[in-house]
Amino acid sequence: LDGTVRGFFVVGENPAVGSANSRLHRFALAKLDWLVVRDFTEIETAAFWYDSPEIENGEMRTEEIGTEVFLFPAAAHTEKDGTFTNTQRLLQWHHKAVEPPGDARSDLWFYYHLGRIIRSKLAASTDRRDRPVLDLTWEYPTTGALEEPDAEAVLREVNGCDASGLA
């Protein structure tokens, strides 16, 4: 809200309407330079800048909101390999049942390729602050025309195994 945060990723949440203080969230979203929303459809957080109570009552004006909103369609849990946590906080592994429609992609696909692009842009950097990004393990096998990362390979690495499967 004080304007110190420049960008924000919203994945699986809807802060513009999903909390006790959503009004505050909408005002804070209006102070961002950029906002990335990944969801199945355009949710209120992606539309706050033109369709919110504050726009309707004149407290905020669309033409005065500088936030650039990027809406990326997300794949449902049935459209990707990996884990799913239900409302009982039960973590389950599942396999993809169907391909995601249109431009929808898995969260793993999105972050893997975003990280790959960022790492390539930083590849020649000698700046110490870029080392954590450059030193991350990021070489995962991909499959298919969309180059979907292998969720099992990522899970193995997160759990302490190297590319060969050894701990």
Side-chain angles (χ1 to χ4, degrees), residues 26-98:
R26 291 187 295 269
F27 276 100
L29 292 171
K31 300 279 181 91
L32 297 170
D33 291 341
W34 55 266
L35 171 65
V36 172
V37 178
R38 288 191 32 81
D39 216 305
F40 308 130
T41 62
E42 183 182 45
I43 59 174
E44 290 86 354
T45 298
F48 84 93
W49 60 276
Y50 74 89
D51 184 18
S52 67
E54 294 75 24
I55 295 294
E56 190 174 313
N57 69 24
E59 287 181 272
M60 289 196 298
R61 295 170 35 92
T62 295
E63 51 275 4
E64 294 173 359
I65 297 172
T67 308
E68 187 168 7
V69 179
F70 301 91
L71 176 60
F72 290 95
H77 71 280
T78 55
E79 300 165 343
K80 59 190 175 187
D81 287 334
T83 59
F84 175 77
T85 307
N86 67 15
T87 55
Q88 295 173 327
R89 297 184 181 144
L90 175 66
L91 182 66
Q92 302 170 339
W93 180 267
H94 60 85
H95 296 283
K96 177 170 49 174
V98 296

Side-chain angles (χ1 to χ4, degrees), residues 88-151:
Q88 295 173 327
R89 297 184 181 144
L90 175 66
L91 182 66
Q92 302 170 339
W93 180 267
H94 60 85
H95 296 283
K96 177 170 49 174
V98 296
E99 291 295 325
D103 291 330
R105 300 289 184 268
S106 71
D107 297 333
L108 181 56
W109 182 95
F110 180 82
Y111 290 111
Y112 170 77
H113 288 286
L114 177 61
R116 189 181 51 75
I117 292 165
I118 290 170
R119 286 167 53 90
S120 72
K121 290 185 180 295
L122 296 176
S125 174
T126 58
D127 193 327
R128 203 177 82 168
R129 73 178 186 169
D130 296 333
R131 288 304 337 152
V133 173
L134 292 169
D135 292 341
L136 284 170
T137 297
W138 215 258
E139 293 76 32
Y140 300 107
T142 60
T143 59
L146 298 177
E147 296 185 60
E148 180 70 30
D150 183 331

